[in-house]
Amino acid sequence: MRVLVAEDEVRLAVLLEQSLTEAGFDVDVVGDGRAAFAAAVDVGDAAYDVLLLDWMLPGLEGLTVCRRLREAGVRTPVLMLTARSSVPDRIAGLEAGADDYLGKPFDLDELIARLRALHRRARSDELEGAVVQVGDLSLDREGRRVHRGGTEITLSAREFDILELLMSRAGRLVTRFTILDEVWDGDTDVRSNVIDVHVAALRAKIDRPFGTDTIRTLRGSGYRIDP
């Protein structure tokens, strides 16, 4: 899961980066609201899965960043961090487009659990459609069947899950950390070649027999399927 942390308190920012990285997240940190907006509005390969915004950011406060992102059509889940605890403040945050709200001080384990929950919820929304189509490649989630044109392709369970993840995010980078988190529940080492082995097997089934090159490797980062 790729997370953008917008926090101007240096010590807290360092703590968050270390803790989230140790939890298996891919973390970027910015210290002001304008930088947060610029990074979060990028919907290309650098798109984030979850945004962690402090309310009181210099430049643009987190509430304004969240509101402007929603106005720009960015639907990335937002967890707002703030020392403000009154009901009107919480309502203001939610009405600005935040998906969750955590008051300071907070427990790191709870923060990580909330980020994972937001990611799962967003992932579930992405998977609402029963059939995903990329070019002549189609994937039926309910039937767990894959077709290239009129030809059915038999995949293993892991291969199917990897392909589903890549196709549901067509045009976006899917990092190795994301694949581990989504397909293996983080239960393997990113340094192992297990992902490479499964992707190679997947290519041998969905690409090679058809003379296509669907899955792109982004060296040192992960994979992408182009729409």
Side-chain angles (χ1 to χ4, degrees):
M1 178 165 62
R2 192 151 191 253
V3 180
L4 176 67
V5 175
E7 173 58 61
D8 64 315
E9 294 181 31
V10 177
R11 289 185 180 180
L12 180 55
V14 170
L15 175 62
L16 288 171
E17 182 175 20
Q18 291 176 342
S19 300
L20 296 179
T21 299
E22 289 172 1
F25 301 157
D26 184 5
V27 185
D28 288 337
V29 179
V30 295
D32 66 82
R34 296 189 188 281
F37 178 82
V41 79
D42 185 348
V43 294
D45 289 346
Y48 293 96
D49 297 299
V50 181
L51 309 178
L52 183 59
L53 300 181
D54 184 72
W55 186 306
M56 299 300 292
L57 289 171
L60 289 176
E61 65 176 11
L63 198 68
T64 303
V65 172
C66 186
R67 183 181 296 111
R68 290 189 181 182
L69 286 172
R70 297 309 185 225
E71 291 171 353
V74 177
R75 294 288 164 247
T76 308
V78 171
L79 173 58
M80 190 76 70
L81 287 179
T82 179
R84 301 187 181 193
S85 58
S86 70
V87 172
D89 285 330
R90 293 199 297 271
I91 292 174
L94 295 173
E95 287 185 343
D99 299 272
D100 201 358
Y101 186 105
L102 190 59
K104 295 179 178 180
F106 54 85
D107 181 83
L108 279 170
D109 289 336
E110 180 183 3
L111 171 66
I112 291 170
R114 285 175 181 255
L115 290 174
R116 290 190 185 279
L118 285 177
H119 187 216
R120 285 195 300 271
R121 192 184 311 161
R123 174 87 173 119
S124 177
D125 291 342
E126 284 182 353
L127 300 182
E128 282 185 353
V131 177
V132 186
Q133 189 84 30
V134 178
D136 66 345
L137 186 65
S138 64
L139 181 144
D140 179 356
R141 292 186 172 108
E142 294 181 356
R144 292 188 70 83
R145 302 173 73 178
V146 174
H147 289 81
R148 169 79 74 181
T151 304
E152 184 168 0
I153 303 169
T154 301
L155 302 180
S156 70
R158 294 285 195 197
E159 291 163 0
F160 183 93
D161 290 343
I162 293 171
L163 183 61
E164 179 185 22
L165 179 59
L166 292 172
M167 291 181 66
S168 69
R169 301 186 183 188
R172 295 173 55 187
L173 166 68
V174 179
T175 67
R176 296 170 63 85
F177 282 110
T178 299
I179 295 174
L180 290 178
D181 192 47
E182 295 285 341
V183 178
W184 274 271
D185 292 325
D187 189 25
T188 190
D189 191 331
V190 72
R191 293 168 296 182
S192 75
N193 68 343
V194 64
I195 297 176
D196 303 309
V197 170
H198 281 80
V199 170
L202 192 54
R203 284 181 169 133
K205 294 179 180 181
I206 70 168
D207 280 337
R208 197 173 303 153
F210 303 93
T212 57
D213 185 19
T214 304
I215 302 175
R216 309 279 181 169
T217 298
L218 303 178
R219 300 260 177 221
S221 299
Y223 304 93
R224 184 185 70 220
I225 282 184
D226 289 326

